[in-house]
Every structure is written in C-alpha cells, then in structure tokens.
Amino acid sequence: MAIATINPTTGETLETFEPHTPEQLEEILAGAEAAYRGLADTTFEQRGAWMRAAADILDAELDEVAALVTTEMGKTIGTAKYEVSKSARGMRWYADHAAEYLAEEHPVAAGDVGASAVSVRYQPIGTVLAVMPWNYPFWQVIRFAAPALMAGNTGILKHASSVPQSALYLGSLFERAGFPAGAFQTVLVEGGAVAPLIDDRRIRAVTLTGSVGAGSSVAEAAGRNIKKSVLELGGTDVFVVMPSADIAAAAAAGVNARVQNSGQSCIAAKRYYVHTDVYDAFEEAFVAGMRAQVVGDPFDEATSFGPLATEQVRRDTHELVEDAVAKGATLLAGGELPEGPGWFYPATVLRDVTPEMRIFREECFGPVACLYRVASAEEAVERSNDSDFGLSSSVWTRDDEEAAFFQDRIEAGGVFVNGLTASFPQLPFGGIKDSGYGRELSAFGIREFTNVKTVWRA
Ligand code: NDP
C-alpha cells in the first residue's frame, strides 16, 4: 500500500510520501538507541514534565490536528477533536501516575527468602517498535507512547500507510515538548518492512494494533527473535439485551456502539443477541436509530458519521454484506453502495445471519450490525463465546444476578454492563483468543515493556 494521504471524503490523493531509505532507517534506529541511554537515567519528574508539555502542545493545536485526522481518515470533526483531547488526557494520566505504577515493591519479608533485603523493580528495556492502525490515528499511538516514554523506553512508530501526516506530526511531538531527540520517532515504511525492523538488535519489543494477519506476522518475527510482543487485534464484540433492560436506552446505545468511528472500531458492537421477549421492540427501535443516521461530510457538524477510511475497507465491508444477503440474510437497513465520490457506506442492519455467511464469524470493520434472537441468558453466553475473538462485550440488564452471570462467563477482555465498551487510561485494555494478548493502559500497560527485576541481598 502506497504511503499517502487520500481524502476518503473525495477519493482525492492529497500527498504521497517516499518510504524511508535503509540509510534513513539506520539513522532512526541509531538515534533511538542513543536517546535510550540518556532517557533511562532521567527521573519520572523530568519525563512527566516533558509529557505534560507534549499534552499542552496537543491541546493548543487541537483544531489543526483534528482537521488533519478528519482529512486523512474521515472521522467527523467532533470525534476527531474528542480523540485528540482524550490523547492529551491520557498523556497527563501517565505523567501523573507512572511513578506509582512502577514503584519498587516488597512482595515478601526479606527473611522469608533468606535475604536481608529484597525488592522488585520495574526498569525500562530499550526501544519499542509500535505498529499502529489508522482508525484512531492519535489515541492508538498515545496509549502506547505515553506509558512507554514514562517508563524510560524509547519508541519508534510505524503508523498505517494511510495516515502519514498524522504519523509525522506524532514523530516530532515529543521532541518539540523537550524529550531528547530520538526518544520517539516515526518511520515511514509499509507493512512488509516491519519484520526486518523487528530483526534489528536495537528493537527490544514490539506492539501492534491491527488485523489478525498483521498481528500474526509481527508475532512470528518477534518470536523468532525472542522479543516481547503485545497484540491488540480485532473483535466481533457482542451486545446482549435482556428483558429487564431499558430497551430504548439499549437501542440508542446499540446504534452508537455500531456506528462509532463509521463502524471502524475494534470494540464496536458487531453481534447483537437480544432476548426473544424484547426482540421485536429492540429491533424496531434499533433499526429506526440506524436509519436516522446522517452519513456525509465529516466536517459538517450535522453528520452522524463520515466515510470509511479507505476504499479497501469499504470493499471489504460491502463484500461481507453481499455475501450474507446472497445466502439468505434479511437486510433491514442500508446495504447499498451510495453513488458519488468518497468511501461512504450506510448504517446497515442484517437479520437471519447463519453460520454459512462470512459475517457470522469474520470481523466487519464498517457500520453493519447483525441481530440475533436468543431464548435465554445461557444461550446468549454460549453464542457470545462461539467466536474466534474475545475483545470486549456489552450487556444490558437491570437484574444484578443476571449481570453477575454474564460478567463471570463471557470470554473476553472486558464486560461492560449497561454501557458501551470504551477505553480508559485507568483500566486495562486488550483481549483473548484472536483478539490478541497483553494489555494496554493502566498499570498493566506500562509494565508490559519493563524489566521486572528481582533484587535480593544476603
Ligand atoms: P492492518 O492490520 O493491515 O494495518 C494495521 C497496521 O499494521 C498498519 O500500520 C499496517 O501497515 C501494518 N501491517 C500490515 N501488514 C503488516 C505485516 N504483514 N507486518 C507488519 N505490519 C503490518 O489493517 P488494515 O488497515 O489493512 O485493516 C484491515 C482490517 O484490520 C480491518 O478491516 C479490521 O478488521 C482490522 N483492524 C483492526 C484494528 C483494531 O483497532 N484492532 C485497526 C485497524 C484494522 P500498512 O498500513 O503500511 O499496511
């Protein structure tokens, strides 16, 4: 895939970029290693001050940064602003909490292990490569960069080829804020150039957010090199609605859960399991909500959601819908490719989806919901867990015992009761099965790329 800004609203190529040459890559790797030696010796206070300064720059440049995001990948200007300010908040969170997350621990009395003193320390490991996607071009990167830099690691960002200007902005942000040159840099390369970077001895670990295919190839390279990896891959998250739920609230949230970011979110709800007692009422309200979505110019405040980010994502989305309809699914809303320029796709609802249809198992990264009727909480859990993915889930019930039943049994990295799945700097984020491994955010996220060092003294 060429490295280029192609405006998804018009399909127009605005700017193309040459991939970095081997010499430029060498300079970046050497710069990262040199910066690491200095950064690892700085204090949390110093790094926190630089991190807060970087957050201040983001806030000050919010309008232009948000416009860049909307131009490069098509999300509405309102959601782009929200993403950029959320990124600044995440940076401040780690500036404030990294020292506490990585504080020295004394897990046992020294005498219990025959020592006079014993402790566990969290120390940086070196340069971490971050392979990131286009769907949240700032937040996905910051949730890696903020903890990594606060831990004393240096970072190299290989961003998606469709958001090169966001990538270049992020590649200079931290140095502008005071971090040493080389502490956080961008490489402009395509996906195929990632494995040789992982082979380089100066890269100590790698994190990837993206598709299962890309994750598998990164994990393979990391495994071959005995390097730590964290993978945050896709999901086919469930949205379960039980009879005790507030159906109007569930339907409204269910629509948002599916169309957020034009449906291009790993934690978007994709499979809706609705109890038969409330199925018809939910379907009616949900379909009405999906039909009411205004799809259009992402710079227009009246727009609910903009185009899909790339022509390929729209093609993939429509193929899944066409496959399902050809095999007998009922189309309740959307499903037609609009005329005109841009990669727009309507809010789409499918019913009567069966296991022969690709969308039954595959992740659909567009605004397409599949509604299923279930007879019981047990059936909802069984069908939720019948998936290759396990990222998160949303359950709607006002019955506490029922909520506990789902919390215990859903196989996923998260269960959100009466709310949409979301990411918070304060809470761990990640999945199981094909959704990946390791965790981002919170104390868990910052510890992923540290050396957990045992110190024992006789
Ligand atoms: P990819 O997984 O291809 O892209 C994500 C990142 O991985 C990009 O930086 C990409 O670089 C890079 N990459 C691609 N192939 C490789 C590889 N073999 N080795 C190392 N890095 C690689 O996602 P797409 O953009 O193609 O989207 C396809 C699907 O992926 C979506 O439909 C969705 O299902 C899933 N996805 C999930 C995301 C999530 O949040 N979990 C985010 C984005 C996509 P480059 O752009 O240069 O190819």
Side-chain angles (χ1 to χ4, degrees):
M1 182 179 185
I3 303 174
T5 298
I6 301 173
N7 185 345
T9 304
T10 60
E12 187 191 352
T13 300
L14 300 179
E15 199 168 344
T16 53
F17 297 80
E18 284 303 313
H20 281 150
T21 60
E23 293 72 30
Q24 286 171 310
L25 292 178
E26 172 55 34
E27 203 176 308
I28 287 169
L29 285 161
E33 187 169 65
Y36 172 65
R37 284 192 290 271
L39 192 67
D41 284 337
T42 56
T43 60
F44 283 109
E45 289 69 28
Q46 178 61 78
R47 300 196 291 276
W50 290 330
M51 189 57 70
R52 284 185 203 94
D56 291 346
I57 294 174
L58 259 195
D59 279 341
E61 296 176 356
L62 177 88
D63 287 344
E64 65 183 271
V65 172
L68 174 61
V69 169
T70 297
T71 303
E72 286 206 302
M73 59 69 65
K75 72 174 60 185
T76 60
I77 189 68
T79 55
K81 286 182 185 169
Y82 179 79
E83 178 182 337
V84 176
S85 46
K86 178 175 180 175
S87 301
R89 285 198 302 280
M91 291 154 86
R92 293 195 180 93
W93 176 264
Y94 273 106
D96 292 345
H97 294 276
E100 158 201 332
Y101 287 156
L102 301 182
E104 186 173 11
E105 291 178 8
H106 301 277
V108 288
D112 288 359
V113 287
S116 67
V118 70
S119 67
V120 175
R121 297 183 191 175
Y122 297 96
Q123 296 190 320
I125 53 169
T127 300
V128 185
L129 176 67
V131 184
M132 290 290 146
W134 42 264
N135 58 344
Y136 293 90
F138 274 68
W139 174 237
Q140 301 274 23
V141 173
I142 293 302
R143 70 191 196 189
F144 156 72
L149 288 168
M150 284 307 302
N153 293 311
T154 52
I156 291 182
L157 168 65
K158 180 271 176 276
H159 216 325
S161 292
S162 56
V163 289
Q165 297 189 54
S166 299
L168 290 169
Y169 179 95
L170 286 158
S172 67
L173 174 65
F174 294 98
E175 191 177 335
R176 286 171 67 204
F179 275 94
F184 192 84
Q185 306 172 84
T186 280
V187 287
L188 288 182
V189 291
E190 294 170 31
V194 167
L197 281 174
I198 298 172
D199 290 340
D200 191 286
R201 61 167 182 80
R202 290 163 291 192
I203 296 292
R204 293 308 326 150
V206 56
T207 182
L208 175 135
T209 300
S211 61
V212 173
S216 166
S217 118
V218 159
E220 206 173 304
R224 194 171 59 238
N225 287 284
I226 329 276
K227 291 179 185 175
K228 174 84 180 272
S229 59
V230 166
L231 300 180
E232 201 275 271
L233 309 176
T236 52
D237 285 5
V238 294
F239 191 97
V240 177
V241 184
M242 296 302 290
S244 69
D246 175 339
I247 299 303
V255 170
N256 284 338
R258 184 60 279 218
V259 302
Q260 57 177 319
N261 215 32
S262 306
Q264 304 162 119
S265 172
C266 50
I267 48 170
K270 288 156 195 155
R271 299 178 287 149
Y272 292 71
Y273 292 117
V274 184
H275 193 280
T276 188
D277 292 355
V278 289
Y279 180 88
D280 292 338
F282 180 86
E283 182 188 290
E284 191 182 7
F286 181 79
V287 170
M290 290 290 271
R291 287 197 180 135
Q293 296 299 300
V294 180
V295 185
D297 179 1
F299 280 103
D300 183 339
E301 304 276 349
T303 295
S304 314
F305 64 88
L308 298 180
T310 65
E311 191 173 18
Q312 184 64 47
V313 174
R314 182 167 83 156
R315 198 177 299 129
D316 293 346
T317 299
H318 194 52
E319 269 177 26
L320 288 178
V321 172
E322 283 187 317
D323 170 77
V325 172
K327 290 174 182 162
T330 308
L331 196 56
L332 300 175
E336 303 274 327
L337 269 190
E339 300 278 324
W343 321 131
F344 294 97
Y345 203 78
T348 299
V349 186
L350 292 169
R351 195 184 58 200
D352 308 315
V353 171
T354 56
E356 304 73 55
M357 302 172 192
R358 287 177 53 204
I359 202 166
F360 187 85
R361 289 210 165 264
E362 291 181 33
E363 176 176 39
C364 179
F365 226 52
V368 182
C370 299
L371 300 187
Y372 303 89
R373 194 185 283 267
V374 292
S376 63
E378 287 76 11
E379 186 187 350
V381 164
E382 191 180 320
R383 296 183 66 176
S384 296
N385 294 343
D386 179 21
S387 169
D388 298 331
F389 294 99
L391 192 53
S392 192
S393 57
S394 176
V395 175
W396 292 73
T397 172
R398 284 185 283 200
D399 177 326
D400 286 345
E401 269 184 39
E402 205 169 64
F405 177 83
F406 285 107
Q407 286 159 208
D408 286 349
R409 287 171 180 75
I410 286 190
E411 294 168 0
V415 179
F416 285 65
V417 180
N418 298 326
L420 268 66
T421 297
S423 60
F424 300 90
Q426 302 92 327
L427 293 175
F429 184 93
I432 58 171
K433 305 185 192 171
D434 285 0
S435 294
Y437 51 73
R439 290 293 177 267
E440 297 187 278
L441 300 175
S442 76
F444 291 94
I446 196 169
R447 290 175 184 171
E448 289 283 4
F449 298 119
T450 57
N451 172 18
V452 184
K453 185 185 273 182
T454 298
V455 179
W456 183 101
R457 288 180 59 178

